[in-house]
Amino acid sequence: DNYHILFFIRFQHLRRRISKYDKVTKKIILFEFPYFVNYLTFFKKKGFKIIYDIVDNITAFQDVPNFYSKFEQKLIKDADLITISAKNLTKLVKKQQREGYYIPNAVDYQHFIKARKQQPLPKDIPKVSNVIGYFGAILEWFDIDLLAYIAIQRPNYNFLLIGNITHSNLQKCRNFPNIFYLGVKKYQELPIYLYHFDVAIIPIKYGYLRDSVNPVKVYEYLAGGKVVVATNISEIQNFPYVLISKSKEEFLSNLDIALKTHINYIEIDRFLEKNTWDERYKELLKKINLLYAR
């Protein structure tokens, strides 16, 4: 590749674009987690530019080692460029008098619009109506109590959960007859499952994690033509066809509304054309080129 980049999670979508479109050889190491910080001096001596992409307030997660905070502080201090996925993450950067460039998440549009066309019914999806779907990690920030509440209040709604379950409290919902756990699916399969959602949900708990997240799945849900019901996530307040819920009662009523809502694809596509990974690549490339113009 023309770029030599150590990629982690968020910007994996940009790797092909960078190698395809840019002809200038640059050495870049991009961190999304505060690992290997003891090698920063070595990398810089070898001519690498260091980018720290802050995607979460990771020190707010449960079971995160205390040393992460010190490692992150060092990364923020020594990075040549800092990018942030949510505006509230600016607070982490300003503590060390640094500037973070806001580059939110986006969507692989061509992949997820496949969910707008009829897809075969996977064998593990039950033949039920009023399908409320979720795909993604199920960690401590996933609001299990909210899920239990709405499943009890709407026994005729059926909830499909796709993803890796790492939260033990989810056991309280294991025996609900209208909650179905489908496990982890391949990225290539997600549009097939998304097609069979009637509504998509993002049930993130109240707290700082919710204030500092820009969920990639909201863009993917929208690309698939689904109305999204979410808790009160600041980053997605004004997105089209996203119903924000400030209480469990409002979440429930928003589900009722969402199931009756008809999507206008023109409106969604007008929004998404500015929120693709291609657009994010252009933003990141401008910042990278500035590093080498100094």
Side-chain angles (χ1 to χ4, degrees), residues 168-288:
S168 60
N169 285 346
L170 200 58
Q171 295 297 329
K172 69 172 63 175
C173 296
R174 278 290 189 181
N175 297 320
F176 280 52
N178 58 338
I179 298 179
F180 303 90
Y181 304 93
L182 305 186
V184 177
K185 303 300 174 186
K186 295 179 180 178
Y187 181 77
Q188 291 78 8
E189 298 176 305
L190 291 180
I192 299 173
Y193 285 86
L194 183 56
Y195 170 79
H196 296 283
F197 292 4
D198 293 313
V199 172
I201 58 172
I202 306 179
I204 298 179
K205 283 182 181 179
Y206 173 79
Y208 184 71
L209 282 173
R210 195 169 76 185
D211 292 335
S212 60
V213 65
N214 185 286
V216 66
K217 62 181 60 65
V218 71
Y219 303 97
E220 296 168 347
Y221 290 158
L222 290 173
K226 306 302 174 183
V227 181
V228 182
V229 177
T231 44
N232 192 20
I233 302 168
S234 57
E235 282 282 311
I236 62 174
Q237 293 283 343
N238 299 311
F239 285 21
Y241 295 100
V242 175
L243 305 181
I244 295 296
S245 313
K246 297 182 180 179
S247 66
K248 62 182 183 180
E249 293 82 9
E250 187 174 16
F251 199 102
L252 187 64
S253 64
N254 279 338
L255 283 179
D256 299 335
I257 294 169
L259 283 167
K260 299 175 183 177
T261 300
H262 296 286
I263 289 284
N264 182 333
Y265 288 130
I266 295 176
E267 185 179 354
I268 284 184
D269 287 344
R270 189 181 299 123
F271 169 77
L272 290 178
E273 69 182 8
K274 300 176 182 177
N275 291 281
T276 65
W277 287 115
D278 280 316
E279 290 301 308
R280 299 295 185 259
Y281 158 75
K282 294 174 185 176
E283 297 173 44
L284 179 61
L285 183 59
K286 288 178 184 177
K287 301 302 181 186
I288 291 173

Side-chain angles (χ1 to χ4, degrees), residues 22-264:
D22 191 77
K23 303 302 180 183
V24 180
T25 300
K26 297 179 175 68
K27 292 183 176 181
I28 296 167
I29 294 182
L30 190 148
F31 288 83
E32 287 196 345
F33 299 98
Y35 299 150
F36 312 120
V37 295
N38 292 333
Y39 293 95
L40 288 177
T41 301
F42 169 80
F43 289 141
K44 288 197 170 191
K45 286 182 178 179
K46 293 293 184 179
F48 283 87
K49 297 291 186 182
I50 307 298
I51 300 176
Y52 181 30
D53 180 41
I54 306 179
V55 297
D56 280 307
N57 178 26
I58 59 171
T59 56
F61 281 89
Q62 295 177 7
D63 302 324
V64 170
N66 292 332
F67 64 79
Y68 265 44
S69 179
K70 291 183 179 179
F71 281 11
E72 182 170 66
Q73 289 173 24
K74 181 171 178 57
L75 255 179
I76 292 173
K77 176 178 177 292
D78 293 343
D80 298 293
L81 173 66
I82 301 168
T83 56
I84 56 174
S85 65
K87 292 177 182 176
N88 203 43
L89 292 169
T90 302
K91 297 176 182 178
L92 297 176
V93 182
K94 285 186 174 179
K95 286 181 180 179
Q96 297 195 57
Q97 290 77 49
R98 295 299 307 276
E99 182 178 4
Y101 294 99
Y102 178 56
I103 301 182
N105 282 318
V107 66
D108 186 346
Y109 177 79
Q110 294 300 328
H111 182 59
F112 283 94
I113 60 168
K114 297 173 187 175
R116 299 183 186 183
K117 296 182 179 180
Q118 186 171 355
Q119 301 289 336
L121 183 71
K123 294 180 180 180
D124 55 351
I125 291 186
K127 295 181 180 179
V128 294
S129 59
N130 299 324
V131 175
I132 314 299
Y134 171 89
F135 57 65
I138 302 173
L139 300 173
E140 71 265 17
W141 44 259
F142 187 100
D143 198 332
I144 305 301
D145 293 329
L146 174 61
L147 177 64
Y149 170 79
I150 57 181
I152 291 170
Q153 294 297 317
R154 294 291 185 271
N156 60 320
Y157 290 3
N158 294 281
F159 300 86
L160 302 186
L161 302 183
I162 295 171
N164 187 29
I165 299 172
T166 59
H167 190 20
S168 60
N169 285 346
L170 200 58
Q171 295 297 329
K172 69 172 63 175
C173 296
R174 278 290 189 181
N175 297 320
F176 280 52
N178 58 338
I179 298 179
F180 303 90
Y181 304 93
L182 305 186
V184 177
K185 303 300 174 186
K186 295 179 180 178
Y187 181 77
Q188 291 78 8
E189 298 176 305
L190 291 180
I192 299 173
Y193 285 86
L194 183 56
Y195 170 79
H196 296 283
F197 292 4
D198 293 313
V199 172
I201 58 172
I202 306 179
I204 298 179
K205 283 182 181 179
Y206 173 79
Y208 184 71
L209 282 173
R210 195 169 76 185
D211 292 335
S212 60
V213 65
N214 185 286
V216 66
K217 62 181 60 65
V218 71
Y219 303 97
E220 296 168 347
Y221 290 158
L222 290 173
K226 306 302 174 183
V227 181
V228 182
V229 177
T231 44
N232 192 20
I233 302 168
S234 57
E235 282 282 311
I236 62 174
Q237 293 283 343
N238 299 311
F239 285 21
Y241 295 100
V242 175
L243 305 181
I244 295 296
S245 313
K246 297 182 180 179
S247 66
K248 62 182 183 180
E249 293 82 9
E250 187 174 16
F251 199 102
L252 187 64
S253 64
N254 279 338
L255 283 179
D256 299 335
I257 294 169
L259 283 167
K260 299 175 183 177
T261 300
H262 296 286
I263 289 284
N264 182 333

